[in-house]
Amino acid sequence: MSRARLAVMASTLALLAACGQGDTKSDMPPLPASATAPVTYERDIHSWAQPQIARVRHVDLDLTADFATKTLSGTATLDVTGEPGATQVILDIKNLEIRSVADDKGNALQFAFGAEDPIKGQALTVTVPAFEPGKGQKIVVTYSTRPDAAALQWLTPAQTAGGQQPFLFSQGQAILTRTWVPTQDSPGIRQTYSAKITVPEALKAVMSAEMLTPDGERAADGMHAYRFRMTNPVPPYLIALAVGDLSFASVGEGVGVWTEPSRLEAARNEFSEMRQLVDAAEALYGPYRWGRYDLLILPPSFPFGGMENPRLTFATPTVVAGDKSLVSLVAHELAHSWSGNLVTNATWADIWLNEGTTTYFENRIMEAVYGRDRAMMLQVLGWNDLQASLAEMAPLDTRLHVDLDGRDPDDGLNDIPYEKGAAFLRTIERIVGRERFDAWLKGYFERNAFRPMTAGGFLIDIRANLVRDDSALERELQLDNWVYQPGLPSNAQAPVSTALTAVDTAADAFFADKGPASAIPWSGWSTQERQHFLAWRPEGAAATRPWLTGAQLADLEASLNLRAEGNAEVLFQWLQIAVAHRYQPAVPTLERFLTSQGRRKFVLPLYTSLWGQGDWGRPIATRVYATARPGYHPVTTGSVDDVVGVPSPVAG
Ligand SMILES: [Zn+2]
């Protein structure tokens, strides 16, 4: 997934504390896993499954989408293997309507629900005839989802770009797949899958799988069915579906874009260099193992930047900037085809294995395609975010291997796994040299392909294949410090970008020395330089007070033409400044931004800042949220509700 990082604000601290991220835990850091053999199964505290007794190998879905009732209903047929004599299969479900459970001959099987856990949902325990050696069984679960299934967002036509047809998309990570597929929902339990999805005739279904019927098949009652298959075993959070008025354009051999017809041309232009990204990734770390690589540009309510669903990355429309400036997001999701989708965190405590490795890999793709300068700018932006997070987070939460006991895995999605993880790999690269490092990382992907990975397994691999008993190197790398200790080890080094150093000079001249905005060389800057400029903040005690006058804000807004800014990253930085200064003229721009997209990375910090502005900001937040909330995804409203509260229904 792309970064869900929060911008730095005093009020964020309160929010994080409220979410449990700010709690300081007194537990001792866990000891490194013993260096014996790679772990093949790691107990996952976020799943009820007991795969060591019986585990799901394949999921076959036959589901019909009903937009009137906002439900998917039909069957999930599970291929299960078990230890000889075992008679129970435990699945994960949450908020599902289970109608019946049977074997593949139609004989009913007994099933029981476990206690409901607010984070994990329930165990669904199915009693089966005792497993015989070498023989699997099939379990057919007949069920439907509920309208408020957390993984599914049902959009009205008004919430789409085209405005004519409804839209549905799923988001499985981290533990939401269990709200639409009854299976063992743990990233360590890989499953192949197949599906038949029946939808209204005017709509098309796409999945994170090979599409077997591009034109659909006729079904009853004016419906169409689409068939899919994923022959590589994947963690269940990567089972993904979207249904809507979708069209496709190829942008090169084996790569293309899906989106609503009105957005197709813009998407085709924005991502015309996608083949180069795939070629660069393969040149770095070996063959792409998934067949096609396509991008699905979703309606504006998609809460994340991107989600690395195999073969079909789901992406926010805010990446279509018009100038290819935000293509690093595609590089990130593409890199997940190796780090995350091929070698997967066994549990969410090690999401740094997915996200840190991917952030490192993303930057290498950007360097290969767009050059060292752009890659270094991106590194510095990420490093600055990391410093801000390290300053405000509870120390124990700044360990790469994080303690998520009793917590939602989404609590661990912050700059630590992404940016500290990437800094860890960059440190190893710097110490051993790029050639040696690349050979090791490529081998790591090959050795561990289609397998779960733990922090302990990672350390075993790197010691066996890179360090190789070189005790001086072992000491210099500080591997255990990086993985199991808070903060940054002493061998971490800040990246340097000469381009951004020049931006710092311009920012000091404007923000600190109060020069005119007309002296800012804005038109010659890239998106990354513009972001960095607007992210300037006074240091020390001055950081809590406004740093610009009304006249300077007006000068900045007019000279940089910020009311007409179309780049979401740049606009976000400007609006943060505007809110911090209670700058009324920017409120219409702010309102337009908050009601036109629902990406949590942008939306949550802005509402949080508004709320922090008391009498001035709270009425604005409440008014805008009442309008915007119906267009947001539950992932976004779940976060913003905690800040603004749930708006009361608007009369009439
Ligand atoms: Zn990611």
Side-chain angles (χ1 to χ4, degrees):
M1 204 182 318
S2 66
R3 267 150 274 239
R5 64 190 171 214
L6 306 174
V8 197
M9 299 155 281
S11 46
T12 306
L13 281 172
L15 174 72
L16 292 175
C19 298
Q21 285 191 23
D23 298 342
T24 305
K25 296 211 168 185
S26 58
D27 314 347
M28 293 296 290
L31 294 169
S34 62
T36 48
V39 179
T40 52
Y41 173 71
E42 176 90 352
R43 196 180 85 84
D44 178 3
I45 58 173
H46 292 108
S47 169
W48 300 101
Q50 295 192 14
Q52 70 281 22
I53 297 170
R55 59 163 287 168
V56 176
R57 301 283 172 181
H58 179 83
V59 179
D60 179 54
L61 300 172
D62 183 351
L63 297 173
T64 298
D66 184 339
F67 284 84
T69 59
K70 297 185 176 180
T71 55
L72 293 173
S73 59
T75 57
T77 302
L78 310 177
D79 288 3
V80 185
T81 57
E83 287 296 301
T87 58
Q88 288 194 331
V89 182
I90 302 177
L91 308 175
D92 293 298
I93 62 168
K94 189 174 184 183
N95 202 16
L96 277 185
E97 206 73 67
I98 303 293
R99 305 209 192 285
S100 65
V101 182
D103 66 15
D104 57 341
K105 313 259 182 335
N107 302 312
L109 296 174
Q110 280 196 333
F111 61 97
F113 300 108
E116 176 89 39
D117 178 276
I119 295 172
K120 290 201 285 184
Q122 290 171 288
L124 174 65
T125 302
V126 179
T127 302
V128 297
F131 280 95
E132 295 169 27
K135 264 185 84 179
Q137 303 193 35
K138 281 186 194 292
I139 294 174
V140 183
V141 183
T142 301
Y143 71 104
S144 71
T145 61
R146 298 213 175 114
D148 58 348
L152 303 178
Q153 194 178 16
W154 301 85
L155 301 180
T156 64
Q159 291 171 319
T160 67
Q164 300 300 312
Q165 299 290 344
F167 201 100
L168 164 68
F169 67 84
S170 71
Q171 165 59 39
Q173 197 179 20
I175 54 170
L176 303 180
T177 293
R178 64 194 67 178
T179 70
W180 76 284
V181 180
T183 187
Q184 290 175 328
D185 188 13
S186 170
I189 308 176
R190 305 184 80 97
Q191 299 149 39
T192 53
Y193 83 89
S194 50
K196 176 184 167 201
I197 306 291
T198 304
V199 302
E201 202 157 10
L203 306 180
K204 204 171 186 91
V206 292
M207 292 191 85
S208 53
E210 183 187 351
M211 187 187 255
L212 301 176
T213 53
D215 300 319
E217 304 168 346
R218 195 168 292 281
D221 306 324
M223 304 282 275
H224 258 193
Y226 292 87
R227 291 177 191 273
F228 304 89
R229 101 181 141 203
M230 170 47 73
T231 53
N232 290 338
V234 294
Y237 72 85
L238 293 178
I239 301 174
L241 168 69
V243 179
D245 180 12
L246 290 169
S247 51
F248 174 79
S250 171
V251 294
E253 193 191 338
V255 291
V257 287
W258 286 96
T259 189
E260 292 187 72
S262 66
R263 294 180 177 239
L264 190 61
E265 205 45 44
R268 186 212 298 262
N269 292 331
E270 194 79 22
F271 302 109
S272 62
E273 289 158 6
M274 218 152 74
R275 184 69 238 174
Q276 286 166 255
L277 299 179
V278 179
D279 290 344
E282 291 193 300
L284 281 165
Y285 299 122
Y288 176 78
R289 311 274 287 258
W290 305 88
R292 292 195 59 84
Y293 181 72
D294 295 324
L295 196 59
L296 171 65
I297 304 296
L298 288 166
S301 61
F302 186 58
F304 301 113
M307 179 61 212
E308 64 271 19
N309 297 314
R311 295 178 63 100
L312 184 66
T313 283
F314 285 19
T316 166
T318 64
V319 292
V320 185
D323 58 5
K324 304 182 181 180
S325 60
L326 303 179
V327 76
S328 63
L329 183 135
V330 178
H332 180 95
E333 308 310 335
L334 171 65
H336 271 305
S337 305
W338 288 258
S339 42
N341 298 2
L342 201 57
V343 184
T344 310
N345 50 221
T347 74
W348 299 110
D350 283 321
I351 193 168
W352 70 276
L353 289 170
N354 281 14
E355 298 299 354
T357 312
T358 293
T359 302
Y360 172 84
F361 190 169
E362 162 201 342
N363 198 256
R364 294 293 305 276
I365 296 172
M366 293 303 289
E367 180 183 323
V369 178
Y370 298 100
R372 181 85 176 155
D373 286 351
R374 182 149 170 198
M376 290 312 295
M377 280 195 258
L378 291 164
Q379 279 188 32
V380 170
L381 293 177
W383 177 265
N384 292 346
D385 288 339
L386 174 60
Q387 294 303 319
S389 292
L390 287 171
E392 70 178 20
M393 289 177 66
L396 287 184
D397 282 345
T398 67
R399 296 173 297 180
L400 286 178
H401 178 79
V402 71
D403 180 8
L404 292 173
D405 196 10
R407 304 160 89 181
D408 190 304
D410 289 349
D411 283 0
L413 265 186
N414 51 52
D415 285 321
I416 300 305
Y418 290 85
E419 296 297 342
K420 182 178 172 182
F424 178 31
L425 297 197
R426 286 202 305 266
T427 303
I428 303 169
E429 183 211 311
R430 192 191 73 234
I431 291 171
V432 304
R434 178 167 279 191
E435 202 178 326
R436 244 177 107 188
F437 179 81
D438 281 355
W440 166 74
L441 185 54
K442 186 177 181 181
Y444 165 84
F445 290 136
E446 284 167 5
R447 283 186 294 277
N448 301 295
F450 303 111
R451 292 177 59 186
M453 179 56 66
T454 60
F458 175 93
L459 292 173
I460 288 168
D461 189 285
I462 199 166
R463 288 190 165 113
N465 298 291
L466 185 65
V467 182
R468 295 172 188 265
D469 297 325
D470 179 339
S471 54
L473 178 60
E474 172 77 40
R475 271 194 307 279
E476 196 179 356
L477 290 173
Q478 302 190 44
L479 298 172
D480 290 327
N481 269 355
W482 274 95
V483 175
Y484 297 110
Q485 296 300 324
L488 288 176
S490 57
N491 60 3
Q493 279 185 11
V496 175
S497 155
T498 44
L500 293 187
T501 305
V503 173
D504 286 334
T505 306
D508 285 340
F510 178 77
F511 291 109
D513 303 338
K514 315 298 182 196
S518 57
I520 301 164
W522 188 258
S523 61
W525 279 348
S526 65
T527 290
Q528 288 70 36
E529 289 163 300
R530 292 175 177 188
Q531 277 178 259
H532 185 65
F533 175 82
L534 292 173
W536 187 96
R537 293 293 181 272
E539 287 179 2
T544 55
R545 292 193 295 272
W547 58 97
L548 293 172
T549 65
Q552 285 177 305
L553 289 160
D555 184 20
L556 198 62
E557 187 181 38
S559 297
L560 308 186
N561 198 20
L562 292 167
R563 287 191 195 189
E565 179 58 59
N567 185 299
E569 296 279 358
V570 175
L571 193 54
F572 172 67
Q573 292 293 349
W574 158 239
L575 292 171
Q576 290 273 53
I577 295 174
V579 172
H581 290 83
R582 305 187 175 195
Y583 181 60
Q584 193 69 31
V587 171
T589 312
L590 173 69
E591 181 156 358
R592 204 161 53 240
F593 188 59
L594 289 175
T595 53
S596 63
Q597 52 79 38
R599 191 171 166 190
R600 185 172 61 174
K601 165 185 158 177
F602 298 138
V603 162
L604 178 60
L606 286 170
Y607 281 110
T608 308
S609 301
L610 276 170
W611 206 252
Q613 291 297 332
D615 294 349
W616 180 81
R618 292 186 184 191
I620 299 172
T622 305
R623 174 172 56 80
V624 175
Y625 193 42
T627 309
R629 191 177 184 276
Y632 291 162
H633 188 273
V635 161
T636 300
T637 57
S639 301
V640 181
D641 283 353
D642 290 342
V643 179
V644 181
V646 182
S648 37
V650 180

